[in-house]
Amino acid sequence: MPVEIKIRKGESMDKALRRMKKKLDRENIIRDVRAKRYFEKPCEERRRKKKAQAFSNMLRQRYENM
């Protein structure tokens, strides 16, 4: 599904590009493209997901104890 940004009347191109980048970021399109740029072995993918899960668990525990 293509991302569509309509330029508003009197809007500069810089603002329109900024809105487009924010929309791409919110929809995780840029992250997906970067992740699929190179092949990732299944074991590397599991290791990366496990590391991300451990980090979020650490943050969750840190802020639950406050």
Side-chain angles (χ1 to χ4, degrees), residues 39-55:
F39 178 74
E40 186 176 28
K41 290 182 180 179
C43 63
E44 291 173 349
E45 183 179 357
R46 285 191 301 268
R47 186 179 304 134
R48 179 180 48 81
K49 287 182 180 179
K50 186 177 178 182
K51 185 177 178 181
Q53 185 65 36
F55 180 74

Side-chain angles (χ1 to χ4, degrees), residues 9-65:
K9 187 175 181 179
E11 184 180 30
S12 68
M13 287 301 292
D14 291 333
K15 281 191 174 186
L17 282 172
R18 194 173 301 128
R19 283 193 308 122
M20 184 186 74
K21 287 179 183 179
K22 282 184 183 180
K23 189 168 187 175
L24 290 173
D25 189 39
R26 271 185 254 130
E27 295 178 8
N28 292 328
I29 293 174
I30 294 176
R31 185 180 300 162
D32 290 342
V33 169
R34 287 183 180 154
K36 293 178 181 181
R37 188 177 290 172
Y38 302 106
F39 178 74
E40 186 176 28
K41 290 182 180 179
C43 63
E44 291 173 349
E45 183 179 357
R46 285 191 301 268
R47 186 179 304 134
R48 179 180 48 81
K49 287 182 180 179
K50 186 177 178 182
K51 185 177 178 181
Q53 185 65 36
F55 180 74
S56 56
N57 284 340
M58 182 268 304
L59 287 178
R60 189 175 298 117
Q61 288 177 352
R62 177 183 293 174
Y63 291 111
E64 281 180 354
N65 294 334

